[in-house]
């Protein structure tokens, strides 16, 4: 499905990004594993891919920094070849507090940081995709972009903006045969959600048609579809990966 494709996955040292990088590697892709701070975890993802016969490289960059992103893409292409697919998964941490207690600086940092990370990485890979007349960009959003939760005003706003950004790029880049799609996970078992009380997770699972919360590998499977030629005529779409609790 993605054999011999070169794929850059941002925020790939843990959680959804790590599971996605591993799955793409298992299916024959050469994977650039981006990380921000945790080199040890990123190196382990690379080792896992290589142990199964795949090709991967770990690359550090703060995706909010344009020059760092451009250098990362250059190193990825020197090591692996031209980038065919971007999985823009890097997410910006944020406080979970009610709106009336939310400091503007934190709100602004989440909103601009999220969009910078996707803007700069897409810009860095799109020029090559345009020249080759092919490519796929996959943004990792959140079900909270359409169904907000208490304390998540910054996250919901940032991901809603990302959804719109994806549609705009699907329109503008489509004539160059570049597809742009959005994957929106529901509650997924990762380090970032570990602090959610068990009772809350169990309650959400009980309301989910498939009877559980998500795993990183569930989201990775959706990304694999969009990265592959099986989705060659799919662009501008929004795909919830939430066990049926969010239907569109």
């Amino acid at each position: 499905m993605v054999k011999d494709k070169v794929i850059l996955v941002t925020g790939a040292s843990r959680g959804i990004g790590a599971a996605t990088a591993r799955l793409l590697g298992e299916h024959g892709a050469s994977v650039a594993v981006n990380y921000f701070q945790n080199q040890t975890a990123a190196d382990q993802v690379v080792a896992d891919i290589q142990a199964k016969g795949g090709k991967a490289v770990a690359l550090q960059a703060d995706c909010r920094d344009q020059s760092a992103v451009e250098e990362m893409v250059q190193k990825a292409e020197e090591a692996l070849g031209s980038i065919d697919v971007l999985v823009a998964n890097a997410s910006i941490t944020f406080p979970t507090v009610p709106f009336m207690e939310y400091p503007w600086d934190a709100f602004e940092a989440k909103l601009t940081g999220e969009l910078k990370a996707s803007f700069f990485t897409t810009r860095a890979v799109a020029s090559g995709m345009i020249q080759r007349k092919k490519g796929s960009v996959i943004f990792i959003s959140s079900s909270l972009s359409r169904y907000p939760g208490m304390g998540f005003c910054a996250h919901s706003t940032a991901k809603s903006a990302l959804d719109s950004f994806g549609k705009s790029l699907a329109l503008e880049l489509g004539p160059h045969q570049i597809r742009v799609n959005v994957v929106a996970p529901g509650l997924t078992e990762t380090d970032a959600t570990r602090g959610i009380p068990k009772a809350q997770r169990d309650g959400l699972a009980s309301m989910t048609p498939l009877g559980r919360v998500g795993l990183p590998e569930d989201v990775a499977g959706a990304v694999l579809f969009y990265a592959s030629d099986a989705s060659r005529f799919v662009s501008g779409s929004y795909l919830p990966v939430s066990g049926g609790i969010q239907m569109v």
Side-chain angles (χ1 to χ4, degrees):
M1 296 177 73
V2 293
K3 184 174 174 55
D4 298 327
K5 290 183 183 290
V6 177
I7 303 179
L8 169 61
V9 184
T10 65
S13 64
R14 61 191 179 99
I16 290 170
T20 297
R22 290 189 180 100
L23 184 63
L24 294 170
E26 287 176 14
H27 282 79
S30 297
V31 186
V33 177
N34 161 253
Y35 69 96
F36 177 34
Q37 294 177 315
N38 197 338
Q39 180 176 353
T40 300
D43 287 342
Q44 184 59 58
V45 174
V46 170
D48 292 342
I49 294 171
Q50 293 174 339
K52 294 188 176 182
K55 188 175 182 180
V57 60
L59 297 168
Q60 193 281 332
D62 180 347
C63 291
R64 296 167 293 185
D65 182 329
Q66 183 175 4
S67 61
V69 167
E70 291 171 352
E71 182 179 355
M72 171 184 65
V73 168
Q74 181 179 349
K75 289 180 178 178
E77 295 191 328
E78 288 172 354
L80 303 174
S82 299
I83 293 173
D84 300 298
V85 180
L86 166 66
V87 182
N89 171 71
S91 186
I92 311 304
T93 57
F94 60 96
T96 306
V97 293
F99 166 69
M100 293 303 292
E101 301 172 20
Y102 222 101
W104 169 251
D105 288 349
F107 187 94
E108 182 180 40
K110 173 63 176 176
L111 182 61
T112 61
E114 197 87 25
L115 294 176
K116 277 183 175 181
S118 294
F119 184 99
F120 292 145
T121 52
T122 305
R123 178 71 69 84
V125 302
S127 57
M129 292 179 177
I130 289 170
Q131 290 175 2
R132 295 186 298 276
K133 297 291 288 183
K134 65 176 182 178
S136 174
V137 177
I138 304 151
F139 293 127
I140 306 301
S141 181
S142 167
S143 61
L144 290 166
S145 71
R146 299 195 180 188
Y147 296 90
M150 186 66 68
F152 287 88
C153 63
H155 187 64
S156 296
T157 303
K159 293 300 190 181
S160 294
L162 182 63
D163 295 351
S164 293
F165 182 55
K167 289 190 288 186
S168 295
L169 294 191
L171 177 66
E172 291 196 25
L173 299 180
H176 302 287
Q177 303 306 304
I178 300 169
R179 299 180 295 106
V180 184
N181 292 286
V182 173
V183 172
L187 177 61
T188 305
E189 295 280 8
T190 67
D191 292 344
T193 61
R194 192 163 291 162
I196 296 175
K198 184 177 185 300
Q200 185 176 342
R201 290 202 305 273
D202 291 347
L204 186 62
S206 69
M207 294 186 292
T208 301
L210 293 185
R212 63 175 177 85
V213 298
L215 299 174
E217 292 76 14
D218 298 323
V219 184
V223 175
L224 175 64
F225 167 68
Y226 280 130
S228 77
D229 293 337
S231 61
R232 64 185 178 273
F233 201 57
V234 180
S235 192
S237 71
Y238 172 95
L239 177 62
V241 184
S242 60
I245 198 169
Q246 180 187 6
M247 300 185 185
V248 295

